[in-house]
Amino acid sequence: MIHTQATAREPCGRLFAAVADRCLDTLSDLDPQGLANVAWAFATAHERHARLFDAIADACVARAAELRPRNVSGVLWAFATAAHVSPDLFATLSSRAARDARDFGPQALANTCWAVATAGEEAPALFRAVAAHAPKRLREFRTTELSSVMWAYRAAGAWAGFDDAFAEALARELSGRVRDVDARGCANATWADPDWRRGAA
């Protein structure tokens, strides 16, 4: 029900309030996917509940080793979308993502980078890890994920820590699929690298 309400045109605030109270009472019963799902639903519905998000952050930090890549990226995406400040959560989960970057799929990597950059958190180890592992797998990334990673590196000021190889690899891969890039992806990529289309056919 909460997932349906999260994407409803006018989510029921009273329902989310009741769910938040229930979750606070039973948070220890939720598995990592459950924690991510709750955070996603509240963020998607633009329902702010500071106590619940604080509790989810504490639970995720304490159980970071149990979170799968999709849980890590999902939780960070939700906190960034909800603009809920939680430095310990971002530090812990971005470190986890940096350590296990090779186990993260393209969507999880892109969402994690986007979330860290959007939240304004510093995570140089994460950006180094993605730059190290992503170039070998760029064909697996969708165009939205490529442009999101480009945007995240630019927004986080992370380009300064690398040579041009990674930036060029991203631009080259995206420009090769320029016909598949939507308006938002084009805007994100252009802001990150105004010359990204230079390799387009």
Side-chain angles (χ1 to χ4, degrees):
M1 180 182 293
I2 191 172
H3 273 244
T4 301
Q5 277 293 311
T7 56
R9 181 172 298 179
E10 295 183 8
C12 178
R14 285 182 296 179
L15 173 62
F16 276 92
V19 169
D21 289 341
R22 176 64 175 165
C23 286
L24 285 168
D25 290 337
T26 61
L27 205 63
S28 60
D29 296 333
L30 292 178
D31 62 13
Q33 187 62 54
L35 293 170
N37 287 348
V38 171
W40 174 89
F42 274 78
T44 300
H46 305 290
E47 290 287 337
R48 294 180 177 249
H49 199 293
R51 286 182 57 226
L52 177 61
F53 271 79
D54 286 341
I56 291 174
D58 290 343
C60 288
V61 168
R63 301 165 60 186
E66 300 175 31
L67 273 64
R68 296 181 178 182
R70 67 172 180 267
N71 305 144
V72 171
S73 64
V75 168
L76 292 181
W77 179 92
F79 273 68
T81 299
H84 188 87
V85 178
S86 184
D88 287 346
L89 175 76
F90 276 88
T92 299
L93 296 193
S94 64
S95 294
R96 163 72 194 284
R99 186 177 67 248
D100 300 329
R102 68 184 64 199
D103 299 324
F104 278 57
Q107 183 178 23
L109 284 177
N111 285 350
T112 299
C113 289
W114 177 89
V116 169
T118 298
E121 298 289 344
E122 294 187 6
L126 169 67
F127 289 108
R128 284 196 299 270
V130 174
H133 294 291
K136 306 168 189 175
R137 303 164 54 193
L138 292 182
R139 291 298 300 171
E140 302 171 22
F141 283 66
R142 294 177 295 180
T143 57
T144 54
E145 294 158 355
L146 290 168
S147 63
S148 184
V149 171
M150 290 176 69
W151 180 92
Y153 270 74
R154 176 72 166 82
W159 287 135
F162 305 94
D163 58 31
D164 292 334
F166 184 45
E168 290 176 357
L170 283 168
R172 184 166 55 249
E173 183 64 36
L174 192 62
S175 66
R177 292 187 256 164
V178 66
R179 293 180 179 83
D180 299 325
V181 183
D182 63 15
R184 176 176 292 184
C186 186
N188 285 343
T190 300
W191 182 76
D193 178 2
D195 298 322
W196 71 273
R197 294 197 212 193
R198 57 186 172 271

